[in-house]
Amino acid sequence: MHRQHLAAPGRRGVLKALVAAAGLACVPALALAADWPSGNIQLVVPAKPGGGTDAAARVIAGALAEKTGGNFVVVNVDGGGGAIAAEQIRTADPDGTHLLFYHSGLLSTYHTGGYQHSPIDEFTLIAALPVGGSYALAVNATSPYQTMDDLVAASKETPNKITLGVQLRGSTHFMAGLIAMDSDAAFRVVEAGSDADKLVQLQGKQIDAALINTPGTLQYVETGDLRILATISGSPERDPNAPDYASASELGYGNAVYGLDFLVMGPTGMDEGTVQAINAAFDAVLSDPAISYQLASMRLPISPMGVEPSRERLMAADKRIGATAKMLGLAN
């Protein structure tokens, strides 16, 4: 487990303004919300340091400390497709001091049996934060596969020989299934861990290909270590932050459309005033032009969203991912 301490001088007046901006009218809730943040606020990230989720969490945690005067600690808890970290939050005190910062891949983990507790019913959703990025289908720069079609054709010529690294039962596993649905690809889909793990294995030629967040992959493309064959996002169009690379849908793999939102979640039973205050704090951070620019420069453009729209969005995503899991034969 790795921790980073981020602190800033106290400015509680900023928080009161944020809460007021959230449109809260309930005086008791406001009184409780005024106590947030107090003590150390843990942002638990289900990934090793160095990946896209971790990088975004650290930028946001630093900005939250600056804007609220609170003390924010990023805690990395890897493993289980997010399940280990999620369980720490599910069983924590609902006082707003322990928050999960992950993405909607947790829904995939749940619907495929990798985690037994519903993200919808057994957590408090604070914010769903749409991400404008994508995932890359990547190979080592020395790989003989120059195109996505080359890679798929090789998998069919030698079934179960070409290894495709994913996080089993997670979002990238779904993406691999959607590619196979379109092409009858016969990859040997293997557990390759987090994005940071996949990058290491791909560079070391321990796997033939992998699905990795595009921003993280591009760093290694620029150094000449990796090659991107295609991208996959929530839209069939190219990722505007990686316009030089065709989307899988554009290349003829029409089902390979799968997007992610970052999620901020807490245990059940959180006070609604505290939930609104936390959401307002994230809104203020992500609406800050300097922070927005920094995240966009990392190819991780993130949009804020209010509590109720977030809940509606997550429920819709849960239904779609559940249906996709059944379609791919991955449902628990």
Side-chain angles (χ1 to χ4, degrees), residues 48 78 167 191-203 206-207 212:
K48 293 180 179 179
D78 190 29
Q167 193 166 57
E191 171 61 60
S194 67
D195 285 345
D197 293 324
K198 293 175 202 167
L199 286 165
V200 171
Q201 293 177 58
L202 204 53
Q203 291 176 86
Q206 297 161 296
I207 52 179
I212 312 173

Side-chain angles (χ1 to χ4, degrees), residues 6-320:
L6 296 165
R11 284 202 295 272
R12 301 290 176 182
V14 176
L15 179 62
K16 291 179 181 178
L18 294 177
V19 175
L24 300 178
C26 178
V27 173
L30 278 172
L32 180 59
D35 293 334
W36 190 92
S38 62
N40 290 333
I41 308 299
Q42 291 192 4
L43 290 185
V44 178
V45 178
K48 293 180 179 179
T53 302
D54 175 71
R58 291 180 185 278
V59 170
I60 292 171
L64 285 169
E66 176 68 22
K67 287 188 177 293
T68 69
N71 193 51
F72 291 80
V73 183
V74 174
V75 181
N76 297 91
V77 182
D78 190 29
I84 297 174
E87 191 62 7
Q88 286 192 12
I89 298 303
R90 190 185 71 84
T91 57
D93 290 335
D95 57 4
T97 61
H98 294 77
L99 305 174
L100 183 71
F101 186 88
Y102 195 36
H103 54 63
S104 48
L106 185 62
L107 296 172
S108 306
T109 305
Y110 168 68
H111 281 290
T112 57
Y115 185 51
Q116 303 304 314
H117 299 283
S118 167
I120 298 291
D121 300 325
E122 299 185 60
F123 290 83
T124 298
L125 178 66
I126 297 166
L129 309 172
V131 184
S134 64
Y135 269 69
L137 177 62
V139 297
N140 190 286
T142 63
S143 169
Y145 312 117
Q146 299 293 322
T147 68
M148 185 173 179
D149 284 345
D150 289 344
L151 184 68
V152 169
S155 78
K156 292 193 284 189
E157 290 169 7
T158 56
N160 298 314
K161 296 292 185 182
I162 306 298
T163 51
L164 176 60
V166 303
Q167 193 166 57
L168 291 178
R169 300 182 180 274
S171 298
T172 50
H173 195 176
F174 273 57
M175 294 175 196
L178 294 172
I179 292 170
M181 283 179 58
D182 277 332
S183 62
D184 295 324
F187 295 112
R188 181 159 64 91
V189 177
V190 298
E191 171 61 60
S194 67
D195 285 345
D197 293 324
K198 293 175 202 167
L199 286 165
V200 171
Q201 293 177 58
L202 204 53
Q203 291 176 86
K205 301 183 181 180
Q206 297 161 296
I207 52 179
D208 296 306
L211 286 157
I212 312 173
N213 76 83
T214 301
T217 307
L218 282 169
Q219 298 177 44
Y220 294 90
V221 172
E222 291 164 359
T223 60
D225 294 309
L226 301 182
R227 178 187 306 132
I228 292 176
L229 304 184
T231 62
I232 296 175
S233 70
S235 166
E237 286 78 33
R238 293 189 181 202
D239 180 350
N241 297 292
D244 294 336
Y245 302 98
S247 70
S249 180
E250 177 185 345
L251 294 174
Y253 302 84
N255 279 317
V257 176
Y258 193 103
L260 293 176
D261 293 343
F262 281 129
L263 303 176
V264 183
M265 306 177 79
T268 57
M270 288 184 65
D271 174 82
E272 185 66 13
T274 302
V275 170
Q276 294 284 355
I278 299 171
N279 182 281
F282 273 82
D283 185 291
V285 164
L286 295 173
S287 299
D288 185 317
I291 301 303
S292 179
Y293 177 81
Q294 184 177 359
L295 290 168
S297 69
M298 295 162 57
R299 299 184 177 94
L300 282 170
I302 304 172
S303 302
M305 183 174 287
V307 175
E308 287 308 317
S310 291
R311 289 170 178 167
E312 292 173 5
R313 185 177 177 90
L314 188 65
M315 290 184 69
D318 183 67
K319 290 180 181 179
R320 183 174 64 85

